[in-house]
Amino acid sequence: MDSSVLVVEANKVERVGSFQGYVTNVQDYLSVLFSPRNNLFILRTQAEQDTRYKQLIPYIVLRFRDSVFSYVRGKRSSESRLVAMRSIGVGGHIEPIDLNLFSSDRDMYLQAARREVHEEVQLDTPYVEHIVALINDDSTDVGKVHLGIMHIWDLAEPKVTKREGLITQAGFLTLDAINARFEELETWSQIALRVLRDPLIPSYQSPAVHSESDIHASR
């Protein structure tokens, strides 16, 4: 059965500002992305082919000090075009089950992002959350129909394990080690690695001194 996914009209994003790679002025875009006037659910088979729309994808980087969680997408990944590529982002599509994300509070969107993470990994540690960038890559077929909302979760401990079948070769690697495998990375992860090295992005913040519910967005 074909599933439905949340999309935003691409021209609405372009009116805020077209970009290739990433932007950190996320607040300028989020009010547009989360407005019911600008987005809708359509069948995923259509969304994968129709460049009038961008599928909204929470893209969460799990960070512990100077390391991030990295993995290779397994054969059961929902995005077949990224199978066997290395990633540092966890997340996925927003579906009708998350329909109530359009409350006046963006907590519902954050819950949808967390649901996507927990479908791929088991997380057994508190974290501090930051929404730091938007990712766009119109240089590939898969990138043309997706728009990433990049989160960083700063973990108290590196206690993350993969869920069977979805991902392989999982574990924490330093940014230098990830950079050494740059050519193995999916395009969004290459962009996300640049975001992590951007001086505008918050450095690692221990959950020991922040509430788990803290949300920080770069402007």
Side-chain angles (χ1 to χ4, degrees), residues 8-193:
V8 63
E9 296 177 51
N11 63 358
K12 299 295 176 61
V13 179
E14 292 166 359
R15 289 177 188 175
V16 182
S18 299
F19 66 97
Q20 170 69 22
Y22 72 93
V23 293
T24 58
N25 56 323
V26 293
Q27 295 303 323
D28 294 341
Y29 290 85
L30 292 186
S31 60
V32 173
L33 300 181
F34 294 155
S35 170
R37 295 172 299 183
N38 300 330
N39 55 52
L40 67 157
F41 286 97
I42 65 175
L43 292 178
R44 185 170 177 180
T45 51
Q46 176 189 352
E48 294 293 354
Q49 304 295 328
D50 195 336
T51 56
R52 293 176 301 170
Y53 302 105
K54 289 276 192 178
Q55 298 168 62
L56 290 181
I57 306 293
Y59 197 73
I60 294 90
V61 175
L62 305 175
R63 181 170 66 176
F64 176 69
R65 298 179 181 172
D66 65 342
S67 300
V68 295
F69 184 74
S70 172
Y71 64 95
V72 173
R73 293 184 183 272
K75 294 180 180 179
R76 290 177 55 194
S77 171
S78 61
E79 181 47 78
S80 60
R81 290 169 291 189
L82 299 180
V83 166
M85 302 188 75
R86 182 165 291 278
S87 178
I88 61 171
V90 180
H93 297 83
I94 298 174
E95 301 172 352
I97 191 174
D98 305 308
L99 190 60
N100 60 350
L101 86 119
F102 298 123
S103 68
S104 58
D105 193 327
R106 64 178 179 178
D107 284 351
M108 291 301 99
Y109 163 76
L110 296 172
Q111 288 296 330
R114 290 163 188 162
R115 175 184 59 77
E116 288 291 343
V117 171
H118 293 308
E119 287 181 359
E120 296 192 30
V121 299
Q122 177 70 37
L123 188 67
D124 296 306
T125 182
Y127 58 89
V128 177
E129 182 166 16
H130 318 259
I131 299 178
V132 297
L134 296 184
I135 294 176
N136 185 62
D137 174 34
D138 289 330
S139 69
T140 67
D141 288 341
V142 64
K144 287 177 182 177
V145 292
H146 293 84
L147 182 67
I149 302 174
M150 180 175 166
H151 304 230
I152 297 174
W153 289 10
D154 281 339
L155 310 181
E157 298 177 90
K159 292 185 176 180
V160 181
T161 54
K162 73 181 186 70
R163 293 194 184 277
E164 187 68 28
L166 295 176
I167 59 179
T168 63
Q169 303 179 40
F172 282 84
L173 295 172
T174 66
L175 294 185
D176 287 343
I178 292 291
N179 192 62
R181 302 185 181 192
F182 191 80
E183 298 304 321
E184 301 175 20
L185 297 174
E186 63 189 26
T187 306
W188 274 19
S189 286
Q190 292 178 345
I191 296 170
L193 184 60

